Amino acid sequence: MNRTPWKKRLLTLPPLTYLLIFFAVPSLIMLFASFRYAGEYGGLAPWYYYEEGKLSFDLTLENWQRLFETDIYLRLFIKSIGYALLTTLLCVLLGYPLALMIARSAKKHRDLLLLLVILPFWSNFLVRIYAWMIIFSPTGALTKMINSVLTLFGMAPITLMYSSTAVIVALVYVHLPFMVLPLYANLEKHNPALLDAAQDLGANGWHRFWNVTWPLSLPGVYAGSILVFIPVLGMFAIPELLGGTDGIMIANVIKQQFVESRDWPFGSVLSMVITAAAVLVVLLGARFAQKGVPRV
C-alpha cells in the first residue's frame, strides 16, 4: 500500500492552510451571510435571539428569492461573462503571437522583452485607468482623429468614453500580461527538434504550428485563460470609471450592495454566484489540462 511521504504532506500544508484561511473560510462566512437579514442601519442583523428564554434563529431565503424575482441580475451576469470571454479571447489572439515571438527570440533579448511585458505593473492600477480616461475623452486626440475620419465619410461622430468599447480595451490592456507570461513559460520549453522533424516530413509553417506548437501550448492557453477570465469577471473599477451605465458589470452591483445600499445579505448572494462561476471555470480548466498534451 503506497502512502504519501510525510515530507510531501508537509509541503502541501502551507498552500492548503492559505486556501482554507483566505478562500474557504471567507466563502463560508459569505454563504452564511446570504441567509441573514440586513441590519436596521445596514450590514447584518443578528442571526439569533432569545425570546422568553428560548433560543430562536433569524435566517431567511428571501435574499436568494430576490435574485430570481427579476431578470436584471441574470442579464448583468450574462453580460459580465460575455465581457470576460471576449477579453480572454482578445488576450489569446494578442498575447499568443507576442509570447511566441519572445520564446523564439535570442536568449540575450528575452529578459528585456519580458521586462517590457511586466513594465505596466510598475505603475499604479488606477493611474493607468485614468490615463485611458484621458485617451478616450471627447477632447482627446484619439477621439478627434476617429471622428474626423467618420465625418470625412459622412458618418456620425462617436463617443469612446463611457462605452463598452472603452471597457473592453482597458480590460485587455490590464490583463494581457497575465496571458503572455504563462504562454511564454510554456512555449519556451518546446523542443525545436519537433518542428524540424515536422518540416522534414513535409509540413509547412502553418501545419507545423497547428499540429505541433498549438497542441503543446494548450496548457499555457488554459492557464492564461483562467488568469484572465476570473479577474475580469470580478472587475468593477474599470467599468465604473470607463463604462458608465453602458459598461456596468455584476461586480459593480455587488460593490453597490456592500458600499452604497449596505445590503450585505443580498451582496453576499451575488458574491456567492460569481464565486461559484469562478470555481466552475477553474474546474473546467483543470479538466481540460488533465487530458494531457496531444501526441504529435
Side-chain angles (χ1 to χ4, degrees), residues 76-92 125 164 166-179 224-240 247-252 254 274 277-278 281:
L76 276 175
F77 187 69
I78 294 175
K79 178 182 178 182
S80 301
I81 292 178
Y83 276 22
L85 289 174
L86 180 57
T87 302
T88 303
L89 177 60
L90 292 175
C91 284
V92 172
F125 170 78
S164 299
V167 173
I168 294 297
V169 171
L171 287 174
V172 172
Y173 161 75
V174 169
H175 296 91
L176 185 59
F178 295 105
M179 178 66 70
S225 298
I226 292 175
L227 290 176
V228 172
F229 184 90
I230 293 178
V232 171
L233 190 60
M235 178 62 66
F236 68 89
I238 292 178
E240 184 169 317
I248 188 172
M249 297 173 63
I250 191 65
N252 297 100
I254 296 175
I274 201 172
V281 170

Side-chain angles (χ1 to χ4, degrees), residues 158-270:
I158 62 173
T159 301
L160 296 178
M161 191 63 179
Y162 302 123
S163 65
S164 299
T165 301
V167 173
I168 294 297
V169 171
L171 287 174
V172 172
Y173 161 75
V174 169
H175 296 91
L176 185 59
F178 295 105
M179 178 66 70
V180 174
L181 295 178
L183 277 174
Y184 165 77
N186 176 277
L187 292 169
E188 192 269 338
K189 297 177 182 178
H190 289 190
N191 189 351
L194 295 175
L195 294 176
D196 295 336
Q199 184 176 10
D200 293 339
L201 293 174
N204 57 28
W206 185 255
H207 289 155
R208 291 198 301 272
F209 173 78
W210 281 113
N211 293 293
V212 179
T213 304
W214 175 254
L216 292 174
S217 65
L218 285 179
V221 175
Y222 295 146
S225 298
I226 292 175
L227 290 176
V228 172
F229 184 90
I230 293 178
V232 171
L233 190 60
M235 178 62 66
F236 68 89
I238 292 178
E240 184 169 317
L241 295 175
L242 295 176
T245 56
D246 291 337
I248 188 172
M249 297 173 63
I250 191 65
N252 297 100
V253 181
I254 296 175
K255 178 244 183 184
Q256 181 186 32
Q257 295 298 320
F258 278 100
V259 178
E260 300 173 15
S261 302
R262 290 188 56 78
D263 189 351
W264 291 12
F266 188 64
S268 300
V269 170
L270 298 177

Side-chain angles (χ1 to χ4, degrees), residues 23 27 30 77 233 268 270-281:
F23 179 77
S27 297
M30 196 71 67
F77 187 69
L233 190 60
S268 300
L270 298 177
S271 299
M272 291 308 303
V273 172
I274 201 172
T275 301
V279 172
L280 179 61
V281 170

Side-chain angles (χ1 to χ4, degrees), residues 131-144 159-161:
W132 279 107
M133 294 178 66
I134 297 174
I135 295 173
F136 288 133
S137 66
T139 57
L142 178 62
T143 304
K144 289 183 177 180
T159 301
L160 296 178
M161 191 63 179

Side-chain angles (χ1 to χ4, degrees), residues 4-19:
T4 304
W6 66 270
K7 291 184 179 180
K8 291 184 178 180
R9 294 183 180 180
L10 188 62
L11 288 175
T12 59
L13 184 61
L16 288 177
T17 304
Y18 179 89
L19 290 175

